Amino acid sequence: MKEDRPGAVHRVLATSYLAYFLFCSLGLFLGLFLPVNFFVSHNSFWAIICFVVGPLFIFWAQVTSYKFEVIKKKTGQLAFKRGPYRILRNPTQLGLLILVLGYAFATQTAILFLSTATAYIISNVFFRKHESILESRYGDSYKSYKASVKKVL
């Protein structure tokens, strides 16, 4: 199957992250010309929380996903329910959302907040393709994981 080629999952994810980057960059750029700002009490506090939690969540997800392949090679078993993948199926995307929301809080730019939300929604299109590849690759094992773990919090 064409979508099950080696690297197909990573190409889909890279495209998803590129979409995130482009929409968030567009939000920052438009924020310069359309200065619609918002203020939330303790903006700096929320920005710092997002700047710490987002990257840590992304790192945790990436380290865990690497371990999936290591465990599969050693035991022959798939181990989807590890790390943040125990609680949701797309932890890296949640980490990206949190991180970029930190920039929205730091800059107080409403356009960036909206472009971040749009990027998250669009990335879900890529996530569906990602899951389709994993279903074709891992079959019932991934389908049962998908049925037992939420897509988002």
Side-chain angles (χ1 to χ4, degrees), residues 64-149:
T64 302
S65 68
Y66 171 74
K67 288 180 183 178
F68 290 162
E69 291 300 318
V70 171
I71 291 168
K72 183 180 178 205
K73 285 179 184 176
K74 286 183 179 178
T75 66
Q77 299 291 321
L78 295 172
F80 291 115
K81 286 189 177 182
R82 295 196 177 278
Y85 293 91
R86 288 178 296 193
I87 52 176
L88 72 156
R89 296 191 318 258
N90 59 352
T92 301
Q93 289 177 314
L94 179 63
L96 280 171
L97 176 68
I98 293 168
L99 176 63
V100 178
L101 284 177
Y103 286 103
F105 282 122
T107 61
Q108 299 177 14
T109 306
I111 301 280
L112 180 55
F113 185 82
L114 293 173
S115 69
T116 301
T118 303
Y120 185 76
I121 291 166
I122 289 174
S123 72
N124 281 313
V125 171
F126 295 103
F127 188 68
R128 279 188 232 124
K129 177 71 173 171
H130 173 248
E131 286 198 318
S132 169
I133 294 169
L134 292 176
E135 280 183 25
S136 69
R137 186 174 291 167
Y138 299 116
D140 291 337
S141 179
Y142 187 79
K143 287 178 185 176
S144 67
Y145 165 72
K146 186 177 171 182
S148 66
V149 176

Side-chain angles (χ1 to χ4, degrees), residues 4-117:
D4 195 25
R5 291 186 309 221
V9 169
H10 298 291
R11 277 190 294 281
V12 170
L13 291 175
T15 306
S16 171
Y17 303 149
L18 178 62
Y20 239 100
F21 172 74
L22 292 175
F23 270 90
C24 295
S25 297
L26 179 66
L28 280 171
F29 180 74
L30 290 175
L32 295 172
F33 299 104
L34 303 168
V36 179
N37 295 338
F38 69 94
F39 182 76
V40 175
S41 63
H42 309 302
N43 260 357
S44 298
F45 169 78
W46 291 113
I48 291 169
I49 294 296
C50 290
F51 289 149
V52 171
V53 171
L56 285 176
F57 209 70
I58 292 167
F59 180 75
W60 186 28
Q62 294 304 304
V63 167
T64 302
S65 68
Y66 171 74
K67 288 180 183 178
F68 290 162
E69 291 300 318
V70 171
I71 291 168
K72 183 180 178 205
K73 285 179 184 176
K74 286 183 179 178
T75 66
Q77 299 291 321
L78 295 172
F80 291 115
K81 286 189 177 182
R82 295 196 177 278
Y85 293 91
R86 288 178 296 193
I87 52 176
L88 72 156
R89 296 191 318 258
N90 59 352
T92 301
Q93 289 177 314
L94 179 63
L96 280 171
L97 176 68
I98 293 168
L99 176 63
V100 178
L101 284 177
Y103 286 103
F105 282 122
T107 61
Q108 299 177 14
T109 306
I111 301 280
L112 180 55
F113 185 82
L114 293 173
S115 69
T116 301

